[in-house]
Amino acid sequence: MSDYRRITIAQAGSHTGESVEIAGWLYNLRKSGKIIFPLIRDGSGIMQCVGLKSSLSEECFEALKNLTQESSVIIRGKCRAEQRAPGGFEMDIESAEIVQRVPEETPYPITPKDHGIEFLFDHRHLHLRSRRQHAILKIRHEIIKAIRDYFDSNGFTLVDCPIFTPAACEGTTTLFEVDYFEDEKVYLTQSGQLYNEATAMAFGKTYCFGPTFRAEKSKTRRHLTEFWMVEPEMAFATLDDVKQHAEELICFIVGRVLDNRKTELGALERDISKLEAIKTPFPRISYDEAVEILRRKGSEIVWGGDFGGTDETLLSEEFDRPVMVDKYPTQVKAFYFQPDEQRPEVALGVDVIASEGYGEVIGGGQRIHDYNLLLQRIQEHNLPPEAFQWYLDLRRFGSVPHAGFGMGVERTVAWLCGLEHIRETIAFPRMLYRTRP
Amino acid sequence: MSDYRRITIAQAGSHTGESVEIAGWLYNLRKSGKIIFPLIRDGSGIMQCVGLKSSLSEECFEALKNLTQESSVIIRGKCRAEQRAPGGFEMDIESAEIVQRVPEETPYPITPKDHGIEFLFDHRHLHLRSRRQHAILKIRHEIIKAIRDYFDSNGFTLVDCPIFTPAACEGTTTLFEVDYFEDEKVYLTQSGQLYNEATAMAFGKTYCFGPTFRAEKSKTRRHLTEFWMVEPEMAFATLDDVKQHAEELICFIVGRVLDNRKTELGALERDISKLEAIKTPFPRISYDEAVEILRRKGSEIVWGGDFGGTDETLLSEEFDRPVMVDKYPTQVKAFYFQPDEQRPEVALGVDVIASEGYGEVIGGGQRIHDYNLLLQRIQEHNLPPEAFQWYLDLRRFGSVPHAGFGMGVERTVAWLCGLEHIRETIAFPRMLYRTRP
């Protein structure tokens, strides 16, 4: 046994001709008389193994021939390059050790046949082993790593914001309430932005990256109750800085996914050309222009209203890459948006609408830095000024123009993977009727 | 104005002799007749500027001379190397622009004089600007980046676990309860481990890294109600793999902090020699040996009990680096620990106790992979078997020996920074009596 060095399937290319072992699970098995082809997955990849009756002990050959799906196994032999094989390599089996055999009478519940969505998500702990889900979550990892690398290498400091917050950032209808201690109530964060504004004044450029929560009662293909968001914030910055970083960030992420996750995009049958088209500069239009385009395309939107999912899809049809829409009416944006100096009825905010109908992936803008204007907006929005004293402090003590944005991880994953429904973008999705497993 | 290129203070070294501007806040101001020395911080660093009455407009000189603490300002001039200056560079002021002046009548509340802890944490949104807090959070960023880089470059896939969980991982007394929809209750996660075991069977090696929650009623210097934890999990792995990765991870983190955060360690007056001593191999002792050491040192611990904070401190006094203690009595460990084959009364678990009395920073071990034994333990612990069916599935379908651990970010930050109290290790700490700002 000690003659065989343990490798992962992803490492097979560096070990051709060597005696090695792989440890994994039986993904599939083809048999043809005196030869068997167990397809093994180990999490790093999938490898076809070849077992000849003539070169294996009878016990080993029979055990592998009758192995059940998802049984765990260690296989020993020599790797060789094989262009026709799934990962480019095959292993000629010399011996094998069954770690745990799934019994015939209680077989692995997810078979190649079609299962209903509810069944698959009830078995999400196993569903993640399937090739499609595996590919999506590998791309998710790549996206998250790209986001962090982008900010870390551009002078941003990671300063995570609290999950437990005393008050709402933007209204209270979709807040989750938590029983804290002795009848105190706290809420789960919906955005780290207000806190980011404080940390940007301490570190210049910061970002937070964590889970956020929204008690959305609507059951749509775009909403989760628990989702991850990255939110950068910059001191001495304006709307233009937001646009520049939003554009560069998206292109950086897409580049990383194209460079490192071709295999996974292939497993998802993703149309790569759509991703390759995502290049700077992104088209930049104003809200006014967006409304004109939408009305021309048959939307009933009138100036002053916010875009719905259908409007976003209609807009995205006009462009082969994401489009940046800026200067929304103040009334559809949160209280802290800086108004345009020339046209105070519009806010210095921007949304980045993904291509191919994947909706808004980034929203942000410039924040009010004037104390009196911010206080006035807090009052106009009927927010309790006491709760915002600390936030007002940021305008009392060295206020500067500042700006930032938020990007939803799951929407980005859905977009880059080309998924219909957001539930596949996260390992254990939480939705209106889904809190298990 | 356009002649001056905007740089950050951290970039000053590449711009000596050039006309540049920095944008930041007044950290301190020394005056001496016809010369002023404003100390400017911009989040990337601190730079002393020099203003001569003879070379500035009277308006500019007077404005800077009377500038109040934390007022925001843009300063233009030329940088030059100056060994005696805090960051190694100084700027000779040519002109300045006050962005917002903090009025004398409402001065910045945090002054160089001593403030009480409650006052400082009530003003945490401003407190983060101080040199000490800035240094701590820069080191926190470095630690988090090192952790992620370690796992990403060692073949682990990031698969984050849900925050909303239907059931407890290890008992329910310290769980935070959330009102979900229509009278459903969910709980905030205390550990992603059970989910990690599922994802390790899909990806081979995985980690999750996010906030976790513990409703600890105790108010100690080591506990937060909201803290961040990284938890790796490996399929086909044993207790030895946990020890190896735990040791390598800690040394990797310490190396990164020593390489990249010398300035910040200096600001904290951290004894660097203590960090330089953290090298492999870490001493490895058994629980039995640890009990012997403790009793020799006067502890009243008896075999079978868990270590308290004082015991951990006593143990750490024996070593100049972290110590790994393994094979704890089964009764003090969670239901899922694999028992030692030779001595079933001890569990294949390991704790890494930090040096200098900073307590347990890593806890982990090998999990039970046998279906029947796991079911028996669930029953012995009076846990509801229905809730654990999905977890038992991992032993029905391709079970393999597997192992993993958890590392608390805040404890690690406290240790490497040499902090007395954990509240300084996170931007906005949440504790028994602290949920604001």
mmCIF file of all heavy atoms in Angstrom, chain A residues 194-235:
data_model
loop_
_atom_site.group_PDB
_atom_site.id
_atom_site.type_symbol
_atom_site.label_atom_id
_atom_site.label_comp_id
_atom_site.label_asym_id
_atom_site.label_seq_id
_atom_site.Cartn_x
_atom_site.Cartn_y
_atom_site.Cartn_z
ATOM 1 N N LEU A 194 -23.836 52.090 6.095
ATOM 2 C CA LEU A 194 -23.699 53.192 7.057
ATOM 3 C C LEU A 194 -22.421 53.008 7.875
ATOM 4 O O LEU A 194 -21.694 53.964 8.134
ATOM 5 C CB LEU A 194 -24.919 53.275 7.979
ATOM 6 C CG LEU A 194 -26.302 53.415 7.327
ATOM 7 C CD1 LEU A 194 -27.341 53.845 8.362
ATOM 8 C CD2 LEU A 194 -26.322 54.368 6.164
ATOM 9 N N TYR A 195 -22.134 51.764 8.254
ATOM 10 C CA TYR A 195 -20.908 51.487 9.001
ATOM 11 C C TYR A 195 -19.674 51.690 8.118
ATOM 12 O O TYR A 195 -18.644 52.182 8.576
ATOM 13 C CB TYR A 195 -20.937 50.066 9.559
ATOM 14 C CG TYR A 195 -21.975 49.881 10.638
ATOM 15 C CD1 TYR A 195 -23.214 49.321 10.368
ATOM 16 C CD2 TYR A 195 -21.722 50.292 11.937
ATOM 17 C CE1 TYR A 195 -24.175 49.166 11.359
ATOM 18 C CE2 TYR A 195 -22.665 50.145 12.945
ATOM 19 C CZ TYR A 195 -23.893 49.583 12.649
ATOM 20 O OH TYR A 195 -24.826 49.442 13.633
ATOM 21 N N ASN A 196 -19.810 51.305 6.843
ATOM 22 C CA ASN A 196 -18.690 51.514 5.911
ATOM 23 C C ASN A 196 -18.311 52.984 5.822
ATOM 24 O O ASN A 196 -17.145 53.319 5.631
ATOM 25 C CB ASN A 196 -19.080 51.063 4.497
ATOM 26 C CG ASN A 196 -18.969 49.567 4.299
ATOM 27 O OD1 ASN A 196 -18.308 48.883 5.082
ATOM 28 N ND2 ASN A 196 -19.611 49.055 3.278
ATOM 29 N N GLU A 197 -19.308 53.848 5.909
ATOM 30 C CA GLU A 197 -19.001 55.282 5.820
ATOM 31 C C GLU A 197 -18.112 55.698 6.986
ATOM 32 O O GLU A 197 -17.214 56.526 6.829
ATOM 33 C CB GLU A 197 -20.293 56.095 5.762
ATOM 34 C CG GLU A 197 -21.072 55.864 4.467
ATOM 35 C CD GLU A 197 -22.334 56.716 4.377
ATOM 36 O OE1 GLU A 197 -22.260 57.925 4.606
ATOM 37 O OE2 GLU A 197 -23.403 56.141 4.089
ATOM 38 N N ALA A 198 -18.358 55.109 8.152
ATOM 39 C CA ALA A 198 -17.494 55.399 9.303
ATOM 40 C C ALA A 198 -16.096 54.838 9.084
ATOM 41 O O ALA A 198 -15.088 55.506 9.354
ATOM 42 C CB ALA A 198 -18.093 54.811 10.579
ATOM 43 N N THR A 199 -15.999 53.613 8.564
ATOM 44 C CA THR A 199 -14.674 53.004 8.418
ATOM 45 C C THR A 199 -13.885 53.658 7.274
ATOM 46 O O THR A 199 -12.663 53.743 7.340
ATOM 47 C CB THR A 199 -14.755 51.476 8.237
ATOM 48 O OG1 THR A 199 -15.453 51.168 7.028
ATOM 49 C CG2 THR A 199 -15.481 50.824 9.401
ATOM 50 N N ALA A 200 -14.601 54.148 6.245
ATOM 51 C CA ALA A 200 -13.891 54.845 5.157
ATOM 52 C C ALA A 200 -13.215 56.116 5.672
ATOM 53 O O ALA A 200 -12.147 56.498 5.188
ATOM 54 C CB ALA A 200 -14.847 55.175 4.019
ATOM 55 N N MET A 201 -13.813 56.768 6.677
ATOM 56 C CA MET A 201 -13.202 57.975 7.250
ATOM 57 C C MET A 201 -11.984 57.623 8.109
ATOM 58 O O MET A 201 -11.170 58.479 8.429
ATOM 59 C CB MET A 201 -14.214 58.751 8.102
ATOM 60 C CG MET A 201 -15.470 59.181 7.365
ATOM 61 S SD MET A 201 -15.156 60.135 5.859
ATOM 62 C CE MET A 201 -16.498 59.574 4.822
ATOM 63 N N ALA A 202 -11.878 56.352 8.484
ATOM 64 C CA ALA A 202 -10.729 55.908 9.274
ATOM 65 C C ALA A 202 -9.640 55.297 8.398
ATOM 66 O O ALA A 202 -8.459 55.406 8.713
ATOM 67 C CB ALA A 202 -11.174 54.896 10.330
ATOM 68 N N PHE A 203 -10.032 54.643 7.304
ATOM 69 C CA PHE A 203 -9.068 53.898 6.481
ATOM 70 C C PHE A 203 -8.966 54.405 5.045
ATOM 71 O O PHE A 203 -8.202 53.859 4.258
ATOM 72 C CB PHE A 203 -9.435 52.414 6.461
ATOM 73 C CG PHE A 203 -9.322 51.742 7.794
ATOM 74 C CD1 PHE A 203 -10.382 51.738 8.692
ATOM 75 C CD2 PHE A 203 -8.131 51.143 8.178
ATOM 76 C CE1 PHE A 203 -10.274 51.144 9.935
ATOM 77 C CE2 PHE A 203 -8.012 50.542 9.414
ATOM 78 C CZ PHE A 203 -9.078 50.548 10.305
ATOM 79 N N GLY A 204 -9.755 55.396 4.667
ATOM 80 C CA GLY A 204 -9.692 55.913 3.300
ATOM 81 C C GLY A 204 -10.551 55.126 2.330
ATOM 82 O O GLY A 204 -11.535 55.612 1.807
ATOM 83 N N LYS A 205 -10.170 53.874 2.105
ATOM 84 C CA LYS A 205 -10.961 52.988 1.257
ATOM 85 C C LYS A 205 -11.164 51.672 1.994
ATOM 86 O O LYS A 205 -10.189 51.056 2.444
ATOM 87 C CB LYS A 205 -10.239 52.715 -0.068
ATOM 88 C CG LYS A 205 -10.069 53.958 -0.923
ATOM 89 C CD LYS A 205 -9.734 53.621 -2.375
ATOM 90 C CE LYS A 205 -8.266 53.339 -2.566
ATOM 91 N NZ LYS A 205 -7.916 53.137 -3.994
ATOM 92 N N THR A 206 -12.407 51.252 2.124
ATOM 93 C CA THR A 206 -12.688 50.023 2.864
ATOM 94 C C THR A 206 -13.695 49.169 2.090
ATOM 95 O O THR A 206 -14.334 49.636 1.157
ATOM 96 C CB THR A 206 -13.316 50.326 4.238
ATOM 97 O OG1 THR A 206 -14.454 51.162 4.049
ATOM 98 C CG2 THR A 206 -12.345 51.032 5.155
ATOM 99 N N TYR A 207 -13.813 47.920 2.512
ATOM 100 C CA TYR A 207 -14.928 47.115 2.030
ATOM 101 C C TYR A 207 -15.335 46.140 3.113
ATOM 102 O O TYR A 207 -14.522 45.767 3.958
ATOM 103 C CB TYR A 207 -14.603 46.388 0.720
ATOM 104 C CG TYR A 207 -13.606 45.247 0.804
ATOM 105 C CD1 TYR A 207 -14.037 43.922 0.757
ATOM 106 C CD2 TYR A 207 -12.230 45.469 0.899
ATOM 107 C CE1 TYR A 207 -13.129 42.860 0.802
ATOM 108 C CE2 TYR A 207 -11.328 44.423 0.948
ATOM 109 C CZ TYR A 207 -11.782 43.117 0.904
ATOM 110 O OH TYR A 207 -10.880 42.074 0.955
ATOM 111 N N CYS A 208 -16.601 45.796 3.101
ATOM 112 C CA CYS A 208 -17.076 44.703 3.958
ATOM 113 C C CYS A 208 -17.619 43.637 3.034
ATOM 114 O O CYS A 208 -18.003 43.906 1.900
ATOM 115 C CB CYS A 208 -18.118 45.187 4.964
ATOM 116 S SG CYS A 208 -19.697 45.675 4.241
ATOM 117 N N PHE A 209 -17.628 42.414 3.527
ATOM 118 C CA PHE A 209 -18.051 41.302 2.663
ATOM 119 C C PHE A 209 -18.612 40.218 3.567
ATOM 120 O O PHE A 209 -17.862 39.499 4.215
ATOM 121 C CB PHE A 209 -16.845 40.771 1.888
ATOM 122 C CG PHE A 209 -17.191 39.873 0.726
ATOM 123 C CD1 PHE A 209 -16.243 39.563 -0.237
ATOM 124 C CD2 PHE A 209 -18.460 39.348 0.572
ATOM 125 C CE1 PHE A 209 -16.543 38.755 -1.321
ATOM 126 C CE2 PHE A 209 -18.777 38.536 -0.503
ATOM 127 C CZ PHE A 209 -17.797 38.238 -1.453
ATOM 128 N N GLY A 210 -19.914 40.116 3.612
ATOM 129 C CA GLY A 210 -20.520 39.123 4.484
ATOM 130 C C GLY A 210 -21.954 38.859 4.110
ATOM 131 O O GLY A 210 -22.459 39.396 3.117
ATOM 132 N N PRO A 211 -22.621 38.025 4.912
ATOM 133 C CA PRO A 211 -24.024 37.735 4.642
ATOM 134 C C PRO A 211 -24.917 38.916 5.021
ATOM 135 O O PRO A 211 -24.616 39.648 5.967
ATOM 136 C CB PRO A 211 -24.303 36.531 5.534
ATOM 137 C CG PRO A 211 -23.317 36.618 6.632
ATOM 138 C CD PRO A 211 -22.109 37.311 6.080
ATOM 139 N N THR A 212 -25.973 39.099 4.279
ATOM 140 C CA THR A 212 -26.990 40.101 4.591
ATOM 141 C C THR A 212 -28.346 39.410 4.480
ATOM 142 O O THR A 212 -28.452 38.328 3.898
ATOM 143 C CB THR A 212 -26.919 41.297 3.632
ATOM 144 O OG1 THR A 212 -26.836 40.796 2.294
ATOM 145 C CG2 THR A 212 -25.699 42.153 3.890
ATOM 146 N N PHE A 213 -29.349 40.041 5.043
ATOM 147 C CA PHE A 213 -30.618 39.346 5.256
ATOM 148 C C PHE A 213 -31.785 40.217 4.821
ATOM 149 O O PHE A 213 -31.813 41.410 5.118
ATOM 150 C CB PHE A 213 -30.752 38.978 6.732
ATOM 151 C CG PHE A 213 -29.583 38.167 7.221
ATOM 152 C CD1 PHE A 213 -28.427 38.794 7.680
ATOM 153 C CD2 PHE A 213 -29.605 36.793 7.155
ATOM 154 C CE1 PHE A 213 -27.320 38.057 8.085
ATOM 155 C CE2 PHE A 213 -28.509 36.038 7.548
ATOM 156 C CZ PHE A 213 -27.365 36.671 8.025
ATOM 157 N N ARG A 214 -32.720 39.626 4.139
ATOM 158 C CA ARG A 214 -33.902 40.384 3.761
ATOM 159 C C ARG A 214 -35.119 39.472 3.879
ATOM 160 O O ARG A 214 -35.170 38.404 3.264
ATOM 161 C CB ARG A 214 -33.749 40.918 2.333
ATOM 162 C CG ARG A 214 -34.488 42.233 2.128
ATOM 163 C CD ARG A 214 -33.863 43.070 1.017
ATOM 164 N NE ARG A 214 -32.570 43.655 1.407
ATOM 165 C CZ ARG A 214 -31.929 44.592 0.681
ATOM 166 N NH1 ARG A 214 -32.444 45.030 -0.441
ATOM 167 N NH2 ARG A 214 -30.772 45.078 1.103
ATOM 168 N N ALA A 215 -36.072 39.886 4.697
ATOM 169 C CA ALA A 215 -37.284 39.091 4.923
ATOM 170 C C ALA A 215 -38.295 39.357 3.808
ATOM 171 O O ALA A 215 -39.377 39.864 4.028
ATOM 172 C CB ALA A 215 -37.871 39.416 6.299
ATOM 173 N N GLU A 216 -37.892 39.012 2.582
ATOM 174 C CA GLU A 216 -38.753 39.208 1.411
ATOM 175 C C GLU A 216 -39.855 38.159 1.436
ATOM 176 O O GLU A 216 -39.574 36.968 1.357
ATOM 177 C CB GLU A 216 -37.948 38.986 0.120
ATOM 178 C CG GLU A 216 -36.914 40.014 -0.186
ATOM 179 C CD GLU A 216 -37.449 41.222 -0.948
ATOM 180 O OE1 GLU A 216 -38.692 41.364 -1.068
ATOM 181 O OE2 GLU A 216 -36.625 42.019 -1.396
ATOM 182 N N LYS A 217 -41.103 38.600 1.441
ATOM 183 C CA LYS A 217 -42.185 37.607 1.411
ATOM 184 C C LYS A 217 -42.411 37.070 0.005
ATOM 185 O O LYS A 217 -43.111 36.093 -0.187
ATOM 186 C CB LYS A 217 -43.471 38.236 1.961
ATOM 187 C CG LYS A 217 -43.512 38.239 3.477
ATOM 188 C CD LYS A 217 -44.759 37.537 4.000
ATOM 189 C CE LYS A 217 -44.609 37.243 5.467
ATOM 190 N NZ LYS A 217 -45.855 37.367 6.218
ATOM 191 N N SER A 218 -41.849 37.760 -0.993
ATOM 192 C CA SER A 218 -42.082 37.324 -2.363
ATOM 193 C C SER A 218 -41.211 36.119 -2.688
ATOM 194 O O SER A 218 -40.056 36.028 -2.278
ATOM 195 C CB SER A 218 -41.769 38.459 -3.321
ATOM 196 O OG SER A 218 -40.482 38.966 -3.060
ATOM 197 N N LYS A 219 -41.792 35.182 -3.421
ATOM 198 C CA LYS A 219 -41.074 33.975 -3.803
ATOM 199 C C LYS A 219 -40.728 34.109 -5.284
ATOM 200 O O LYS A 219 -41.527 33.790 -6.148
ATOM 201 C CB LYS A 219 -42.000 32.779 -3.560
ATOM 202 C CG LYS A 219 -41.264 31.471 -3.434
ATOM 203 C CD LYS A 219 -42.215 30.292 -3.374
ATOM 204 C CE LYS A 219 -41.454 29.008 -3.710
ATOM 205 N NZ LYS A 219 -42.341 27.912 -4.045
ATOM 206 N N THR A 220 -39.558 34.653 -5.576
ATOM 207 C CA THR A 220 -39.179 34.858 -6.972
ATOM 208 C C THR A 220 -37.889 34.114 -7.248
ATOM 209 O O THR A 220 -37.219 33.645 -6.329
ATOM 210 C CB THR A 220 -38.929 36.353 -7.293
ATOM 211 O OG1 THR A 220 -37.594 36.687 -6.896
ATOM 212 C CG2 THR A 220 -39.904 37.251 -6.544
ATOM 213 N N ARG A 221 -37.524 34.057 -8.504
ATOM 214 C CA ARG A 221 -36.285 33.361 -8.860
ATOM 215 C C ARG A 221 -35.059 34.236 -8.622
ATOM 216 O O ARG A 221 -33.942 33.830 -8.878
ATOM 217 C CB ARG A 221 -36.349 32.860 -10.305
ATOM 218 C CG ARG A 221 -36.449 33.956 -11.336
ATOM 219 C CD ARG A 221 -36.702 33.409 -12.748
ATOM 220 N NE ARG A 221 -36.793 34.514 -13.680
ATOM 221 C CZ ARG A 221 -35.727 35.089 -14.260
ATOM 222 N NH1 ARG A 221 -34.526 34.669 -13.985
ATOM 223 N NH2 ARG A 221 -35.898 36.088 -15.098
ATOM 224 N N ARG A 222 -35.271 35.459 -8.136
ATOM 225 C CA ARG A 222 -34.139 36.356 -7.893
ATOM 226 C C ARG A 222 -33.894 36.649 -6.410
ATOM 227 O O ARG A 222 -32.988 37.398 -6.076
ATOM 228 C CB ARG A 222 -34.352 37.702 -8.614
ATOM 229 C CG ARG A 222 -34.045 37.626 -10.091
ATOM 230 C CD ARG A 222 -34.041 39.017 -10.708
ATOM 231 N NE ARG A 222 -33.916 38.936 -12.159
ATOM 232 C CZ ARG A 222 -34.145 39.944 -12.973
ATOM 233 N NH1 ARG A 222 -34.511 41.116 -12.502
ATOM 234 N NH2 ARG A 222 -34.010 39.807 -14.268
ATOM 235 N N HIS A 223 -34.697 36.093 -5.513
ATOM 236 C CA HIS A 223 -34.563 36.473 -4.102
ATOM 237 C C HIS A 223 -34.229 35.317 -3.170
ATOM 238 O O HIS A 223 -34.832 34.263 -3.235
ATOM 239 C CB HIS A 223 -35.855 37.155 -3.619
ATOM 240 C CG HIS A 223 -36.044 38.516 -4.198
ATOM 241 N ND1 HIS A 223 -36.819 38.751 -5.307
ATOM 242 C CD2 HIS A 223 -35.531 39.713 -3.840
ATOM 243 C CE1 HIS A 223 -36.786 40.040 -5.611
ATOM 244 N NE2 HIS A 223 -36.007 40.655 -4.743
ATOM 245 N N LEU A 224 -33.287 35.593 -2.287
ATOM 246 C CA LEU A 224 -32.975 34.706 -1.171
ATOM 247 C C LEU A 224 -33.182 35.522 0.097
ATOM 248 O O LEU A 224 -33.063 36.750 0.074
ATOM 249 C CB LEU A 224 -31.512 34.253 -1.244
ATOM 250 C CG LEU A 224 -31.088 33.393 -2.435
ATOM 251 C CD1 LEU A 224 -29.568 33.280 -2.486
ATOM 252 C CD2 LEU A 224 -31.713 32.002 -2.350
ATOM 253 N N THR A 225 -33.448 34.883 1.223
ATOM 254 C CA THR A 225 -33.566 35.641 2.478
ATOM 255 C C THR A 225 -32.183 35.898 3.076
ATOM 256 O O THR A 225 -32.010 36.805 3.879
ATOM 257 C CB THR A 225 -34.426 34.892 3.512
ATOM 258 O OG1 THR A 225 -33.887 33.588 3.696
ATOM 259 C CG2 THR A 225 -35.870 34.779 3.033
ATOM 260 N N GLU A 226 -31.227 35.079 2.679
ATOM 261 C CA GLU A 226 -29.854 35.181 3.185
ATOM 262 C C GLU A 226 -28.937 35.182 1.978
ATOM 263 O O GLU A 226 -28.953 34.238 1.191
ATOM 264 C CB GLU A 226 -29.607 33.943 4.067
ATOM 265 C CG GLU A 226 -28.258 33.827 4.671
ATOM 266 C CD GLU A 226 -28.074 32.480 5.388
ATOM 267 O OE1 GLU A 226 -28.985 32.012 6.102
ATOM 268 O OE2 GLU A 226 -27.006 31.872 5.185
ATOM 269 N N PHE A 227 -28.186 36.259 1.791
ATOM 270 C CA PHE A 227 -27.321 36.331 0.614
ATOM 271 C C PHE A 227 -26.065 37.113 0.958
ATOM 272 O O PHE A 227 -26.027 37.807 1.969
ATOM 273 C CB PHE A 227 -28.062 36.975 -0.571
ATOM 274 C CG PHE A 227 -28.604 38.346 -0.283
ATOM 275 C CD1 PHE A 227 -27.919 39.478 -0.707
ATOM 276 C CD2 PHE A 227 -29.791 38.515 0.416
ATOM 277 C CE1 PHE A 227 -28.410 40.755 -0.430
ATOM 278 C CE2 PHE A 227 -30.285 39.787 0.707
ATOM 279 C CZ PHE A 227 -29.599 40.903 0.286
ATOM 280 N N TRP A 228 -25.035 36.977 0.138
ATOM 281 C CA TRP A 228 -23.742 37.606 0.437
ATOM 282 C C TRP A 228 -23.538 38.840 -0.431
ATOM 283 O O TRP A 228 -23.923 38.864 -1.598
ATOM 284 C CB TRP A 228 -22.605 36.599 0.231
ATOM 285 C CG TRP A 228 -22.560 35.576 1.318
ATOM 286 C CD1 TRP A 228 -23.512 34.615 1.568
ATOM 287 C CD2 TRP A 228 -21.545 35.410 2.328
ATOM 288 N NE1 TRP A 228 -23.136 33.858 2.663
ATOM 289 C CE2 TRP A 228 -21.936 34.313 3.141
ATOM 290 C CE3 TRP A 228 -20.346 36.052 2.613
ATOM 291 C CZ2 TRP A 228 -21.169 33.870 4.222
ATOM 292 C CZ3 TRP A 228 -19.585 35.605 3.690
ATOM 293 C CH2 TRP A 228 -20.001 34.525 4.486
ATOM 294 N N MET A 229 -22.959 39.844 0.173
ATOM 295 C CA MET A 229 -22.793 41.103 -0.538
ATOM 296 C C MET A 229 -21.422 41.687 -0.204
ATOM 297 O O MET A 229 -20.966 41.629 0.929
ATOM 298 C CB MET A 229 -23.895 42.069 -0.100
ATOM 299 C CG MET A 229 -23.963 43.320 -0.946
ATOM 300 S SD MET A 229 -25.624 44.010 -1.061
ATOM 301 C CE MET A 229 -25.932 44.513 0.625
ATOM 302 N N VAL A 230 -20.781 42.266 -1.216
ATOM 303 C CA VAL A 230 -19.548 43.017 -0.980
ATOM 304 C C VAL A 230 -19.887 44.487 -1.142
ATOM 305 O O VAL A 230 -20.628 44.869 -2.051
ATOM 306 C CB VAL A 230 -18.423 42.581 -1.947
ATOM 307 C CG1 VAL A 230 -18.780 42.825 -3.410
ATOM 308 C CG2 VAL A 230 -17.107 43.305 -1.606
ATOM 309 N N GLU A 231 -19.380 45.311 -0.219
ATOM 310 C CA GLU A 231 -19.702 46.729 -0.250
ATOM 311 C C GLU A 231 -18.443 47.566 -0.001
ATOM 312 O O GLU A 231 -18.000 47.687 1.128
ATOM 313 C CB GLU A 231 -20.763 47.047 0.808
ATOM 314 C CG GLU A 231 -22.101 46.373 0.556
ATOM 315 C CD GLU A 231 -23.106 46.671 1.658
ATOM 316 O OE1 GLU A 231 -23.116 45.922 2.657
ATOM 317 O OE2 GLU A 231 -23.847 47.642 1.546
ATOM 318 N N PRO A 232 -17.877 48.141 -1.062
ATOM 319 C CA PRO A 232 -16.754 49.063 -0.899
ATOM 320 C C PRO A 232 -17.244 50.480 -0.608
ATOM 321 O O PRO A 232 -18.360 50.846 -1.000
ATOM 322 C CB PRO A 232 -16.066 49.014 -2.264
ATOM 323 C CG PRO A 232 -17.170 48.711 -3.219
ATOM 324 C CD PRO A 232 -18.178 47.881 -2.474
ATOM 325 N N GLU A 233 -16.413 51.244 0.078
ATOM 326 C CA GLU A 233 -16.733 52.653 0.355
ATOM 327 C C GLU A 233 -15.439 53.457 0.330
ATOM 328 O O GLU A 233 -14.409 52.992 0.832
ATOM 329 C CB GLU A 233 -17.425 52.783 1.717
ATOM 330 C CG GLU A 233 -18.002 54.162 2.015
ATOM 331 C CD GLU A 233 -19.322 54.452 1.295
ATOM 332 O OE1 GLU A 233 -20.033 53.499 0.912
ATOM 333 O OE2 GLU A 233 -19.613 55.646 1.110
ATOM 334 N N MET A 234 -15.479 54.643 -0.277
ATOM 335 C CA MET A 234 -14.273 55.448 -0.463
ATOM 336 C C MET A 234 -14.475 56.870 0.031
ATOM 337 O O MET A 234 -15.462 57.520 -0.325
ATOM 338 C CB MET A 234 -13.931 55.524 -1.954
ATOM 339 C CG MET A 234 -13.703 54.165 -2.595
ATOM 340 S SD MET A 234 -13.698 54.261 -4.426
ATOM 341 C CE MET A 234 -15.462 54.212 -4.768
ATOM 342 N N ALA A 235 -13.519 57.357 0.835
ATOM 343 C CA ALA A 235 -13.531 58.766 1.233
ATOM 344 C C ALA A 235 -12.920 59.593 0.112
ATOM 345 O O ALA A 235 -12.153 59.074 -0.695
ATOM 346 C CB ALA A 235 -12.727 58.937 2.516
#
